Amino acid sequence: MTTRILLADDHKLFIEGLAELMKKKQELELSGQAKDGQQAISEAVKIKPDVILMDIAMPELNGIKALKQIRSQLPDVKAIMLSMYNSRELIVESLRAGAQGYILKECTSEELYEAIKTVMMGNFYIARSSLQVVVEDYLRLLKADERNSARLLSEREREVLKLLAEGKNAKEIAYDLAISKNTVDVHRRHIMEKTGCTSMAGLVRYAIREGY
């Protein structure tokens, strides 16, 4: 089955690299080209490609803004953004605009082919050299979420969590805090909801990790 591609890029070396790839992979077809964002929109609407290879830094209208307009008219089209930079901001903005892929212009023809195959299968593709940026950002956000969830706990809930982490059961906690066992169970349920833990083991690991 032939994959029809629209290339929105004005860099000669990348165009030559794509042409070389198509010689090797006959199932790929270059159905159209555009040299700026506005032309990319008109070409996409006209030829309705399977995949758009979209340069982010283009004259007239950048690739991200152009893709947003294209997606409003062609919601099923696949798009891979082309960039010179390993930028977290550009990766996030590309995905928000509706892109399924993000690769660097320095990529090999084989990685480009892998990216095209991946998005055609309905999956996302991020350049290998950009994955570290994505993972680091994810871990940063994860830690921020954990800190925020801890701050959401009330003073009483933090007391209950500390005692749970020390291995005490609900009856013992109720005695220590001079509250009923049912109240302890309610606090424990609220703590699990706020922290996203789904088991006592997970709750204890969370408490240890957060210093309780």
Side-chain angles (χ1 to χ4, degrees):
M1 182 178 176
T2 300
T3 298
R4 300 168 65 251
I5 296 172
L6 167 62
L7 175 61
D9 193 299
D10 60 353
H11 289 78
K12 184 179 178 182
L13 287 178
F14 194 86
I15 294 171
E16 290 175 351
L18 180 59
E20 188 64 27
L21 173 62
M22 290 181 174
K23 290 179 183 178
K24 300 176 184 177
K25 312 293 184 182
Q26 295 184 355
E27 70 271 27
L28 303 181
E29 173 189 298
L30 183 57
S31 299
Q33 286 184 248
K35 294 186 177 181
D36 61 58
Q38 292 291 355
Q39 188 179 8
I41 296 171
S42 60
E43 285 295 305
V45 172
K46 181 172 68 176
I47 67 177
K48 296 180 175 57
D50 299 306
V51 177
I52 302 174
L53 300 179
M54 178 81 79
D55 185 12
I56 289 180
M58 287 195 298
E60 301 297 332
L61 190 68
N62 72 47
I64 292 174
K65 291 181 179 178
L67 178 58
K68 288 179 180 178
Q69 294 191 36
I70 292 171
R71 294 283 293 178
S72 68
Q73 300 182 66
L74 302 171
D76 296 327
V77 70
K78 311 294 185 185
I80 299 172
M81 305 307 287
L82 313 173
S83 178
M84 298 288 290
Y85 306 104
N86 265 330
S87 164
R88 179 192 70 82
E89 289 80 7
L90 289 178
I91 294 171
V92 170
E93 286 303 309
S94 295
L95 296 177
R96 284 177 176 168
Q100 287 77 29
Y102 185 97
I103 62 175
L104 301 182
K105 288 194 169 185
E106 64 189 29
C107 73
T108 64
S109 60
E110 286 306 312
E111 184 174 9
L112 175 58
Y113 180 59
E114 184 179 348
I116 294 171
K117 282 198 309 178
T118 300
V119 301
M120 282 300 294
M121 292 171 61
N123 300 316
F124 288 85
Y125 186 93
I126 303 295
R128 298 176 191 130
S129 54
S130 300
L131 283 176
Q132 184 67 24
V133 175
V134 176
V135 170
E136 287 175 355
D137 190 51
Y138 172 76
L139 291 175
R140 180 183 61 79
L141 292 174
L142 189 63
K143 289 178 181 178
D145 285 344
E146 289 170 352
R147 289 194 297 270
N148 289 338
S149 65
R151 285 195 291 268
L152 288 174
L153 299 181
S154 68
E155 183 177 351
R156 178 64 83 187
E157 287 166 347
R158 288 194 291 270
E159 291 175 339
V160 171
L161 179 58
K162 183 177 183 298
L163 293 172
L164 285 171
E166 292 174 357
K168 294 189 175 183
N169 59 36
K171 186 176 180 181
E172 292 169 327
I173 294 172
Y175 178 81
D176 287 352
L177 299 179
I179 56 179
S180 71
K181 179 179 177 298
N182 286 341
T183 301
V184 173
D185 290 335
V186 170
H187 284 313
R188 181 173 57 189
R189 185 172 68 251
H190 289 168
I191 293 167
M192 294 178 77
E193 290 173 353
K194 289 181 179 181
T195 61
C197 296
T198 57
S199 67
M200 276 304 302
L203 194 59
V204 171
R205 284 196 298 270
Y206 174 87
I208 294 171
R209 187 173 67 243
E210 293 298 318
Y212 289 99

